[in-house]
Amino acid sequence: MPEAHPDHRDLPSLYRAEVGVFRGRWTMSVIGPAQDMAAGPNIDLGPAEHFATAHPDDPGRYLIAVSGEVPVLPREEAVQVLEEHGFVVEVAARDDTRTDHGWTQTTHANWTAPCQPIAP
């Protein structure tokens, strides 16, 4: 996994990756450093066709209590695309056992992860 840029290492993340379902497809955007600024393109990650029964105590589900079937986050694809666009999920978030490798579910079909630019 790539390292964060030295200027951003050990600092709070200024960027966040957002992955969500829109019209039956997963899309990802990188937002920051301002809330209304897109730092990267809106990227299609494919159809949201895999579902699982969620439980509030699952990793990454701490902001909301979810029950019933939810679309399964395509985490590996999201991480790969994020890295291809010059970002990496923050190390502290990846190491946090309360998240799904840095990703936190914020609504039924939306996930977010703090991220940092990759070292050159």
Side-chain angles (χ1 to χ4, degrees):
M1 181 165 291
E3 294 288 323
H5 191 282
D7 293 345
H8 292 262
R9 215 171 284 144
D10 300 322
L11 295 174
S13 293
L14 297 175
Y15 301 90
R16 74 180 184 281
E18 293 183 350
V19 177
V21 176
F22 180 71
R23 296 185 178 170
R25 297 190 67 80
W26 284 104
T27 61
M28 182 175 67
S29 297
V30 176
I31 309 298
Q35 289 289 92
D36 59 348
M37 180 188 304
N42 194 22
I43 302 161
D44 182 273
L45 298 177
E49 57 191 7
H50 301 288
F51 293 83
T53 301
H55 301 283
D57 58 343
D58 288 345
R61 295 186 174 93
Y62 286 85
L63 296 183
I64 59 171
V66 193
S67 61
E69 286 200 347
V70 295
V72 176
L73 172 70
R75 183 172 32 87
E76 289 81 17
E77 292 90 342
V79 168
Q80 179 182 356
V81 169
L82 192 62
E83 291 173 359
E84 288 170 2
H85 284 83
F87 292 91
V88 63
V89 175
E90 180 184 75
V91 172
R94 287 193 315 255
D95 293 342
D96 187 344
T97 59
R98 297 170 299 174
T99 68
D100 183 5
H101 300 275
W103 295 89
T104 300
Q105 187 177 28
T106 57
T107 66
H108 172 78
N110 289 286
W111 293 74
T112 186
C115 58
Q116 298 170 317
I118 291 177

